[in-house]
Short mmCIF file of all heavy atoms in Angstrom, two decimals:
data_model
loop_
_atom_site.label_atom_id
_atom_site.label_comp_id
_atom_site.label_asym_id
_atom_site.label_seq_id
_atom_site.Cartn_x
_atom_site.Cartn_y
_atom_site.Cartn_z
N TYR T 1 59.06 -68.02 17.58
CA TYR T 1 58.47 -69.02 16.69
C TYR T 1 57.47 -68.33 15.77
O TYR T 1 56.77 -67.41 16.20
CB TYR T 1 57.74 -70.10 17.50
CG TYR T 1 58.60 -70.85 18.48
CD1 TYR T 1 58.77 -70.38 19.79
CD2 TYR T 1 59.24 -72.04 18.12
CE1 TYR T 1 59.54 -71.08 20.70
CE2 TYR T 1 60.01 -72.74 19.03
CZ TYR T 1 60.16 -72.26 20.32
OH TYR T 1 60.93 -72.96 21.22
N TYR T 2 57.41 -68.79 14.53
CA TYR T 2 56.49 -68.22 13.56
C TYR T 2 55.85 -69.32 12.73
O TYR T 2 56.50 -70.33 12.41
CB TYR T 2 57.21 -67.27 12.61
CG TYR T 2 57.85 -66.08 13.28
CD1 TYR T 2 59.18 -66.11 13.68
CD2 TYR T 2 57.12 -64.92 13.53
CE1 TYR T 2 59.76 -65.02 14.31
CE2 TYR T 2 57.69 -63.83 14.14
CZ TYR T 2 59.02 -63.89 14.54
OH TYR T 2 59.59 -62.81 15.16
N THR T 3 54.61 -69.09 12.34
CA THR T 3 54.03 -69.97 11.35
C THR T 3 54.67 -69.65 9.99
O THR T 3 55.11 -68.52 9.75
CB THR T 3 52.50 -69.81 11.30
OG1 THR T 3 51.93 -70.85 10.54
CG2 THR T 3 52.10 -68.46 10.73
N ASP T 4 54.72 -70.64 9.12
CA ASP T 4 55.46 -70.47 7.86
C ASP T 4 54.96 -69.29 7.03
O ASP T 4 55.76 -68.60 6.37
CB ASP T 4 55.38 -71.76 7.04
CG ASP T 4 56.25 -72.86 7.60
OD1 ASP T 4 57.12 -72.58 8.45
OD2 ASP T 4 56.06 -74.03 7.19
N SER T 5 53.67 -69.05 7.05
CA SER T 5 53.11 -68.03 6.16
C SER T 5 53.51 -66.60 6.53
O SER T 5 53.33 -65.69 5.72
CB SER T 5 51.59 -68.14 6.13
OG SER T 5 51.04 -67.88 7.41
N VAL T 6 54.05 -66.39 7.72
CA VAL T 6 54.43 -65.03 8.13
C VAL T 6 55.93 -64.86 8.31
O VAL T 6 56.41 -63.75 8.58
CB VAL T 6 53.70 -64.59 9.42
CG1 VAL T 6 52.20 -64.80 9.29
CG2 VAL T 6 54.25 -65.30 10.64
N LYS T 7 56.69 -65.94 8.18
CA LYS T 7 58.14 -65.85 8.34
C LYS T 7 58.74 -64.85 7.36
O LYS T 7 58.42 -64.85 6.19
CB LYS T 7 58.78 -67.22 8.15
CG LYS T 7 58.61 -68.16 9.33
CD LYS T 7 59.28 -69.50 9.06
CE LYS T 7 59.08 -70.45 10.23
NZ LYS T 7 59.66 -71.79 9.96
N GLY T 8 59.61 -63.99 7.88
CA GLY T 8 60.24 -62.98 7.05
C GLY T 8 59.41 -61.71 6.90
O GLY T 8 59.91 -60.70 6.38
N ARG T 9 58.15 -61.76 7.33
CA ARG T 9 57.28 -60.57 7.22
C ARG T 9 56.88 -60.03 8.59
O ARG T 9 56.72 -58.82 8.77
CB ARG T 9 56.00 -60.91 6.44
CG ARG T 9 56.26 -61.40 5.03
CD ARG T 9 54.95 -61.50 4.22
NE ARG T 9 54.02 -62.46 4.79
CZ ARG T 9 52.78 -62.18 5.16
NH1 ARG T 9 52.32 -60.95 5.05
NH2 ARG T 9 51.98 -63.12 5.65
N PHE T 10 56.68 -60.92 9.56
CA PHE T 10 56.23 -60.53 10.90
C PHE T 10 57.37 -60.71 11.89
O PHE T 10 58.18 -61.63 11.76
CB PHE T 10 55.05 -61.39 11.36
CG PHE T 10 53.76 -61.16 10.62
CD1 PHE T 10 53.70 -60.41 9.45
CD2 PHE T 10 52.58 -61.71 11.11
CE1 PHE T 10 52.50 -60.21 8.79
CE2 PHE T 10 51.37 -61.52 10.46
CZ PHE T 10 51.34 -60.76 9.29
N THR T 11 57.40 -59.85 12.89
CA THR T 11 58.39 -59.96 13.96
C THR T 11 57.71 -59.76 15.30
O THR T 11 57.04 -58.74 15.53
CB THR T 11 59.50 -58.91 13.80
OG1 THR T 11 60.12 -59.06 12.52
CG2 THR T 11 60.55 -59.09 14.88
N ILE T 12 57.89 -60.72 16.21
CA ILE T 12 57.35 -60.62 17.56
C ILE T 12 58.47 -60.17 18.49
O ILE T 12 59.64 -60.58 18.34
CB ILE T 12 56.74 -61.95 18.03
CG1 ILE T 12 56.01 -61.78 19.37
CG2 ILE T 12 57.79 -63.06 18.10
CD1 ILE T 12 55.20 -63.01 19.79
N SER T 13 58.12 -59.30 19.45
CA SER T 13 59.11 -58.82 20.40
C SER T 13 58.40 -58.43 21.70
O SER T 13 57.18 -58.24 21.72
CB SER T 13 59.86 -57.62 19.84
OG SER T 13 58.97 -56.54 19.61
N THR T 14 59.16 -58.35 22.75
CA THR T 14 58.61 -57.88 24.03
C THR T 14 59.32 -56.61 24.46
O THR T 14 60.49 -56.38 24.09
CB THR T 14 58.75 -58.93 25.14
OG1 THR T 14 60.10 -59.38 25.21
CG2 THR T 14 57.84 -60.12 24.89
N ASP T 15 58.62 -55.78 25.18
CA ASP T 15 59.16 -54.55 25.74
C ASP T 15 58.93 -54.63 27.25
O ASP T 15 57.83 -54.40 27.73
CB ASP T 15 58.45 -53.34 25.14
CG ASP T 15 59.06 -52.03 25.60
OD1 ASP T 15 59.60 -51.96 26.72
OD2 ASP T 15 59.01 -51.06 24.84
N ASN T 16 59.98 -54.99 27.97
CA ASN T 16 59.82 -55.20 29.41
C ASN T 16 59.50 -53.89 30.14
O ASN T 16 58.78 -53.90 31.13
CB ASN T 16 61.09 -55.82 29.99
CG ASN T 16 61.27 -57.26 29.55
OD1 ASN T 16 60.30 -57.95 29.20
ND2 ASN T 16 62.49 -57.74 29.54
N ALA T 17 60.01 -52.79 29.65
CA ALA T 17 59.75 -51.50 30.30
C ALA T 17 58.27 -51.14 30.24
O ALA T 17 57.71 -50.57 31.18
CB ALA T 17 60.60 -50.42 29.66
N LYS T 18 57.64 -51.46 29.10
CA LYS T 18 56.22 -51.14 28.93
C LYS T 18 55.32 -52.33 29.26
O LYS T 18 54.11 -52.20 29.26
CB LYS T 18 55.97 -50.69 27.50
CG LYS T 18 56.66 -49.39 27.13
CD LYS T 18 56.32 -48.97 25.71
CE LYS T 18 57.00 -47.66 25.35
NZ LYS T 18 56.70 -47.25 23.94
N ASN T 19 55.95 -53.49 29.50
CA ASN T 19 55.22 -54.73 29.77
C ASN T 19 54.26 -55.07 28.63
O ASN T 19 53.07 -55.35 28.84
CB ASN T 19 54.45 -54.66 31.09
CG ASN T 19 54.37 -56.03 31.77
OD1 ASN T 19 55.32 -56.80 31.72
ND2 ASN T 19 53.24 -56.33 32.36
N THR T 20 54.79 -55.04 27.43
CA THR T 20 54.00 -55.32 26.24
C THR T 20 54.69 -56.38 25.37
O THR T 20 55.91 -56.58 25.45
CB THR T 20 53.78 -54.08 25.38
OG1 THR T 20 55.06 -53.57 24.95
CG2 THR T 20 53.03 -53.00 26.13
N VAL T 21 53.89 -57.02 24.55
CA VAL T 21 54.40 -57.86 23.47
C VAL T 21 53.88 -57.25 22.18
O VAL T 21 52.72 -56.85 22.10
CB VAL T 21 53.98 -59.33 23.62
CG1 VAL T 21 52.47 -59.49 23.64
CG2 VAL T 21 54.59 -60.17 22.51
N ASN T 22 54.75 -57.14 21.19
CA ASN T 22 54.42 -56.45 19.96
C ASN T 22 54.54 -57.39 18.77
O ASN T 22 55.32 -58.35 18.79
CB ASN T 22 55.35 -55.26 19.78
CG ASN T 22 55.32 -54.33 20.98
OD1 ASN T 22 54.27 -53.83 21.37
ND2 ASN T 22 56.48 -54.12 21.61
N LEU T 23 53.77 -57.09 17.73
CA LEU T 23 53.85 -57.85 16.49
C LEU T 23 53.97 -56.85 15.35
O LEU T 23 52.99 -56.16 15.02
CB LEU T 23 52.62 -58.74 16.31
CG LEU T 23 52.68 -59.69 15.11
CD1 LEU T 23 53.76 -60.76 15.33
CD2 LEU T 23 51.33 -60.34 14.86
N GLN T 24 55.15 -56.74 14.80
CA GLN T 24 55.37 -55.89 13.64
C GLN T 24 55.04 -56.69 12.40
O GLN T 24 55.63 -57.75 12.16
CB GLN T 24 56.83 -55.41 13.59
CG GLN T 24 57.15 -54.55 12.38
CD GLN T 24 56.42 -53.22 12.41
OE1 GLN T 24 56.30 -52.59 13.46
NE2 GLN T 24 55.91 -52.81 11.26
N MET T 25 54.10 -56.19 11.62
CA MET T 25 53.63 -56.91 10.44
C MET T 25 53.93 -56.08 9.20
O MET T 25 53.40 -54.97 9.05
CB MET T 25 52.12 -57.18 10.54
CG MET T 25 51.73 -57.89 11.82
SD MET T 25 49.98 -58.36 11.86
CE MET T 25 49.21 -56.75 11.85
N ASN T 26 54.79 -56.59 8.36
CA ASN T 26 55.18 -55.92 7.12
C ASN T 26 54.71 -56.73 5.91
O ASN T 26 54.39 -57.91 6.05
CB ASN T 26 56.70 -55.74 7.07
CG ASN T 26 57.23 -54.90 8.21
OD1 ASN T 26 56.58 -53.97 8.68
ND2 ASN T 26 58.45 -55.20 8.64
N SER T 27 54.71 -56.09 4.76
CA SER T 27 54.32 -56.75 3.51
C SER T 27 53.00 -57.50 3.68
O SER T 27 52.87 -58.68 3.30
CB SER T 27 55.43 -57.72 3.06
OG SER T 27 56.65 -57.04 2.89
N LEU T 28 52.04 -56.83 4.23
CA LEU T 28 50.77 -57.48 4.53
C LEU T 28 50.04 -57.89 3.25
O LEU T 28 50.13 -57.23 2.22
CB LEU T 28 49.89 -56.55 5.36
CG LEU T 28 50.28 -56.49 6.85
CD1 LEU T 28 49.72 -55.25 7.51
CD2 LEU T 28 49.81 -57.75 7.56
N LYS T 29 49.33 -59.01 3.39
CA LYS T 29 48.58 -59.58 2.27
C LYS T 29 47.09 -59.66 2.65
O LYS T 29 46.77 -59.75 3.84
CB LYS T 29 49.09 -60.98 1.97
CG LYS T 29 50.58 -61.06 1.68
CD LYS T 29 51.03 -62.50 1.50
CE LYS T 29 52.52 -62.60 1.23
NZ LYS T 29 52.96 -64.01 1.05
N PRO T 30 46.21 -59.69 1.67
CA PRO T 30 44.78 -59.82 2.01
C PRO T 30 44.48 -61.04 2.88
O PRO T 30 43.58 -61.00 3.73
CB PRO T 30 44.12 -59.93 0.64
CG PRO T 30 45.02 -59.14 -0.27
CD PRO T 30 46.41 -59.44 0.24
N GLU T 31 45.24 -62.12 2.70
CA GLU T 31 45.00 -63.33 3.50
C GLU T 31 45.44 -63.17 4.94
O GLU T 31 45.19 -64.07 5.77
CB GLU T 31 45.69 -64.54 2.86
CG GLU T 31 47.16 -64.34 2.54
CD GLU T 31 47.37 -63.95 1.07
OE1 GLU T 31 46.60 -63.11 0.56
OE2 GLU T 31 48.33 -64.49 0.47
N ASP T 32 46.06 -62.07 5.30
CA ASP T 32 46.38 -61.79 6.70
C ASP T 32 45.19 -61.18 7.44
O ASP T 32 45.25 -60.99 8.66
CB ASP T 32 47.56 -60.83 6.80
CG ASP T 32 48.85 -61.42 6.29
OD1 ASP T 32 49.14 -62.61 6.58
OD2 ASP T 32 49.60 -60.70 5.60
N THR T 33 44.13 -60.88 6.71
CA THR T 33 42.94 -60.29 7.33
C THR T 33 42.34 -61.25 8.35
O THR T 33 42.07 -62.41 8.05
CB THR T 33 41.90 -59.97 6.26
OG1 THR T 33 42.42 -58.94 5.40
CG2 THR T 33 40.60 -59.48 6.89
N ALA T 34 42.16 -60.77 9.57
CA ALA T 34 41.64 -61.60 10.66
C ALA T 34 41.55 -60.75 11.92
O ALA T 34 42.05 -59.62 11.97
CB ALA T 34 42.56 -62.79 10.93
N VAL T 35 40.93 -61.32 12.93
CA VAL T 35 41.04 -60.76 14.28
C VAL T 35 42.27 -61.37 14.91
O VAL T 35 42.43 -62.60 14.92
CB VAL T 35 39.79 -61.07 15.12
CG1 VAL T 35 39.96 -60.53 16.54
CG2 VAL T 35 38.55 -60.48 14.47
N TYR T 36 43.14 -60.52 15.43
CA TYR T 36 44.38 -60.97 16.03
C TYR T 36 44.25 -60.94 17.55
O TYR T 36 43.82 -59.93 18.13
CB TYR T 36 45.54 -60.09 15.59
CG TYR T 36 46.00 -60.41 14.18
CD1 TYR T 36 45.19 -60.12 13.08
CD2 TYR T 36 47.22 -61.04 13.95
CE1 TYR T 36 45.60 -60.45 11.80
CE2 TYR T 36 47.64 -61.36 12.67
CZ TYR T 36 46.82 -61.06 11.60
OH TYR T 36 47.22 -61.38 10.33
N PHE T 37 44.64 -62.05 18.16
CA PHE T 37 44.54 -62.22 19.61
C PHE T 37 45.92 -62.39 20.22
O PHE T 37 46.77 -63.13 19.70
CB PHE T 37 43.71 -63.45 19.96
CG PHE T 37 42.28 -63.39 19.51
CD1 PHE T 37 41.92 -63.86 18.26
CD2 PHE T 37 41.30 -62.88 20.34
CE1 PHE T 37 40.59 -63.81 17.84
CE2 PHE T 37 39.97 -62.84 19.94
CZ PHE T 37 39.63 -63.29 18.68
N CYS T 38 46.10 -61.76 21.36
CA CYS T 38 47.29 -61.95 22.17
C CYS T 38 46.99 -63.02 23.22
O CYS T 38 45.87 -63.08 23.75
CB CYS T 38 47.62 -60.61 22.84
SG CYS T 38 48.95 -60.66 24.04
N ALA T 39 47.98 -63.86 23.50
CA ALA T 39 47.80 -64.93 24.48
C ALA T 39 49.03 -65.02 25.38
O ALA T 39 50.13 -64.68 24.95
CB ALA T 39 47.55 -66.25 23.79
N ALA T 40 48.81 -65.49 26.60
CA ALA T 40 49.92 -65.59 27.54
C ALA T 40 49.73 -66.80 28.44
O ALA T 40 48.60 -67.23 28.72
CB ALA T 40 50.01 -64.33 28.39
N ASP T 41 50.86 -67.33 28.90
CA ASP T 41 50.81 -68.44 29.85
C ASP T 41 52.10 -68.44 30.65
O ASP T 41 53.18 -68.20 30.08
CB ASP T 41 50.65 -69.76 29.11
CG ASP T 41 50.21 -70.87 30.05
OD1 ASP T 41 51.08 -71.48 30.69
OD2 ASP T 41 48.99 -71.10 30.15
N PRO T 42 52.04 -68.73 31.95
CA PRO T 42 53.25 -68.70 32.76
C PRO T 42 54.10 -69.97 32.65
O PRO T 42 55.27 -69.97 33.06
CB PRO T 42 52.71 -68.54 34.18
CG PRO T 42 51.36 -69.15 34.14
CD PRO T 42 50.83 -68.87 32.75
N ALA T 43 53.55 -71.04 32.12
CA ALA T 43 54.28 -72.30 32.09
C ALA T 43 55.41 -72.26 31.07
O ALA T 43 55.30 -71.67 30.01
CB ALA T 43 53.33 -73.44 31.74
N ILE T 44 56.49 -72.90 31.42
CA ILE T 44 57.63 -73.01 30.52
C ILE T 44 57.30 -74.05 29.45
O ILE T 44 56.70 -75.09 29.73
CB ILE T 44 58.89 -73.41 31.29
CG1 ILE T 44 59.24 -72.33 32.32
CG2 ILE T 44 60.06 -73.64 30.34
CD1 ILE T 44 60.39 -72.72 33.23
N ALA T 45 57.68 -73.78 28.24
CA ALA T 45 57.49 -74.73 27.14
C ALA T 45 58.78 -74.84 26.35
O ALA T 45 59.56 -73.89 26.29
CB ALA T 45 56.35 -74.29 26.24
#
């Protein structure tokens, strides 16, 4: 799932071997400036 402003520019993925979640951010814009937080929850949605 993506918010509209990053669709086509950002890609989220997981790496089970490294137990990581990654966010590839391309074509960055000044309005992307922020503190980025990772979040997790075990519940199914």
Side-chain angles (χ1 to χ4, degrees):
Y1 301 89
Y2 298 94
T3 192
D4 286 346
S5 63
V6 308
K7 284 180 181 177
R9 300 190 298 123
F10 290 12
T11 303
I12 188 171
S13 62
T14 52
D15 185 330
N16 290 336
K18 295 182 179 179
N19 213 37
T20 60
V21 59
N22 305 303
L23 186 68
Q24 178 66 41
M25 306 186 295
N26 299 327
S27 302
L28 282 161
K29 304 175 181 180
E31 51 263 43
D32 294 318
T33 295
V35 177
Y36 283 70
F37 296 90
C38 173
D41 196 275
I44 298 174

